[in-house]
Amino acid sequence: MAKTPLQFRHNGRDVALFVEGGSNLLVVLREMVGDTTPKFGCGQGGCGACTVLIDGDAHLSCLTLAETVEGRAVETLDGIKNGPNLHPLQRAFADGFAAQCGYCTPGMLMAAKALLDKVAQPSREQVVEAISGNICRCTGYEPIINAVLAAAASLRASA
Amino acid sequence: MPVTVKTFQAVGEAASALSSDRGARYLGGGTLVMRDLNEGDVSIVTVIRATDRALQGIDAAGARIRIGAGVTFARVLAERDLGFLHPAARSIGGPAVRNMGTVGGNLFAPAPFGDFTVALLALDGMVSLQGGFGLRDMPLEEFLQSRDRQAGALAVGVSCIRPASTDAFRYRKIARIKPKGGSVITLAAHLPQSGGRVTGARIALGSMAPTAVRAKAAERALEGRPLDAAAISAAAAAAGEGTAPADNSLASAWYRREVVGVHLRRLLSGQES
């Protein structure tokens, strides 16, 4: 079966490749682009581990048909740090012990970034809502919520 | 297994392609079709898409509102004029799912999903279907009853009535994981009143059958009566009549039948769940 050409921006860099029909974005990112920061969790849209930003909005890469990101901007955890410096969200997660086994963390961080990119001073309820599609099986939600609020404060202070 | 992806600009072309290929599935937001592909559903040979802007339209100006099938739940939530549908849209998934999932796709979601459709069913929903024969409107209830036979038709939009007041429409999703979990039971009730009496009540239930269904016995129990304790008790007692819930990991069929009346009573009484 013929492969389909696909071009999109991946963390600010243009990517051009050929994908098999029906491939999901998660597979393309992990196996073809080499970006393993989005994780495969359930493959059903239930866990949020594969969350990426597409044109700034949170999407589940496991349920995104690769062809639908043609010409669009895809942002993953791999792209959020600034050179050698961690993004304030990453710093807050590390400082606040918000990563336990860590498997949900990339998706949590991207879901949180989608919120903080739009809302500089989110309420606790807004943070809970933002990560409501992301499951943490270590049940470490409280440190995660606190870390997102701390990162928001840090971003405001540095603005 | 690779599939062939066909993208069309026009809805009519997509509908023709869909109706002429038994192995084709239409891709809306992807939350149903991509999940099936990820699970290795080999019955999907072709994925059909349409980029027609007509699928993205929202017309909320009149008493009957119309929403394009490709409108996402995030967009519903961004429309102030659709405020009465916000509780239903917000009860679906987390933000990422709401950025992807569409009103049209929700019509095809099997229990324990399809919560938005429950709200539309209570609001006299109509579905616009594009097939090889052209465009036709079908009552949502009729569409749901024959959904398995509608595989070749493309849903291009839905319409529903706008409730006359905030209190006239009530929606509640009972879930174990809030707000994103699948539904134990979903309830929606449109309760127009005239002269202090309920006239034309419509009550819809989700996860009480393979598709959303109307609780017609409960509707009859309310008809022409004031929404008082006696009428609510009669409706609650009749809530499970004609339903056929399934066992799943969220609840057993027995449990759903036992508690549907309790939740309907709370909904009609305005109590917190």
Side-chain angles (χ1 to χ4, degrees):
Chain A
M1 190 171 285
K3 292 188 175 182
T4 305
L6 175 65
Q7 295 186 49
F8 62 96
R9 282 186 79 73
H10 170 249
N11 295 330
R13 199 170 52 88
D14 288 329
V15 171
L17 33 74
F18 289 88
V19 298
E20 287 190 336
S23 296
N24 65 51
L25 179 61
L26 179 64
V27 167
V28 170
L29 288 170
R30 289 181 61 87
E31 297 181 7
M32 301 183 74
V33 178
D35 177 355
T36 56
T37 56
K39 302 302 181 199
F40 179 85
C42 65
Q44 299 183 341
C47 75
C50 65
T51 304
V52 300
L53 306 191
I54 300 177
D55 292 340
D57 292 324
H59 282 68
L60 300 172
S61 59
C62 79
L63 297 184
T64 300
L65 181 70
E67 281 98 321
T68 61
V69 300
E70 174 71 31
R72 302 176 77 182
V74 177
E75 192 178 358
T76 71
L77 179 61
D78 197 36
I80 76 167
K81 64 181 184 297
N82 180 17
N85 301 317
L86 293 179
H87 186 280
L89 269 167
Q90 293 172 296
R91 183 81 268 158
F93 268 59
D95 291 345
F97 301 99
Q100 294 188 41
C101 89
Y103 201 82
C104 72
T105 305
M108 287 284 186
L109 286 165
M110 297 314 291
K113 186 171 187 299
L115 171 68
L116 299 191
D117 285 350
K118 295 182 174 76
V119 184
Q121 192 163 356
S123 65
R124 180 186 164 82
E125 289 69 31
Q126 285 175 302
V127 173
V128 170
E129 173 62 29
I131 63 168
S132 61
N134 296 68
I135 286 176
C136 163
R137 283 296 180 221
C138 303
T139 62
Y141 292 110
E142 284 299 321
I144 291 170
I145 294 163
N146 292 336
V148 176
L149 290 168
S154 170
L155 282 163
R156 287 198 304 276
S158 62
Chain B
M1 194 180 80
V3 300
T4 301
V5 179
K6 295 181 178 175
T7 303
F8 300 92
Q9 197 280 318
V11 161
E13 293 172 4
S16 295
L18 190 65
S19 62
S20 62
D21 183 349
R22 290 170 62 91
R25 286 274 296 277
Y26 183 80
L27 181 105
T31 57
L32 298 176
V33 174
M34 291 305 292
R35 187 178 64 171
D36 289 346
L37 283 176
N38 289 345
E39 289 178 350
D41 184 344
V42 294
S43 72
I44 305 173
V45 178
T46 310
V47 170
I48 308 282
R49 297 172 60 215
T51 56
D52 201 323
R53 291 186 62 81
L55 295 170
Q56 304 298 327
I58 296 176
D59 180 1
R64 192 164 186 94
I65 62 140
R66 188 188 177 286
I67 308 173
V71 170
T72 64
F73 300 114
R75 267 200 67 207
V76 170
L77 287 168
E79 288 282 336
R80 202 164 54 175
D81 285 344
L82 300 182
F84 62 99
L85 289 171
H86 286 186
R90 197 176 291 115
S91 74
I92 295 168
V97 168
R98 296 198 288 271
N99 284 332
M100 302 172 69
T102 63
V103 169
N106 199 261
L107 301 173
F108 295 89
F113 306 111
D115 301 307
F116 198 80
T117 302
V118 178
L120 292 174
L121 184 58
L123 290 168
D124 192 26
M126 296 283 289
V127 187
S128 295
L129 292 169
Q130 177 86 47
F133 39 78
L135 192 66
R136 65 184 164 135
D137 284 342
M138 179 185 279
L140 177 55
E141 186 176 12
E142 186 184 331
F143 168 82
L144 292 169
Q145 286 166 356
S146 60
R147 189 172 67 179
D148 292 345
R149 300 193 300 277
Q150 305 288 346
L154 175 57
V156 298
V158 297
S159 69
C160 70
I161 54 172
R162 178 194 300 281
S165 68
T166 309
D167 196 44
F169 179 63
R170 305 172 190 193
Y171 171 88
R172 185 163 297 166
K173 174 177 173 177
I174 312 302
R176 295 189 186 279
I177 307 166
K178 294 181 180 177
K180 68 175 295 299
S183 151
V184 174
I185 298 172
T186 303
L187 309 100
H190 184 222
L191 306 164
Q193 295 200 34
S194 176
R197 293 176 185 277
V198 176
T199 55
R202 286 178 71 103
I203 298 171
L205 303 172
S207 293
M208 291 300 292
T211 69
V213 291
R214 283 175 65 185
K216 292 186 177 175
E219 292 172 358
R220 284 194 297 273
L222 295 177
E223 197 58 36
R225 299 173 69 175
L227 194 59
D228 57 14
I232 290 172
S233 287
E241 211 171 288
T243 62
D247 295 318
N248 61 30
S249 58
L250 298 166
S252 66
W254 173 85
Y255 178 78
R256 288 183 162 103
R257 278 191 295 267
E258 286 292 310
V259 301
V260 64
V262 174
H263 289 297
L264 181 60
R265 179 192 299 276
R266 291 176 183 172
L267 184 78
L268 298 176
S269 306
Q271 295 173 13
E272 294 297 318
S273 57

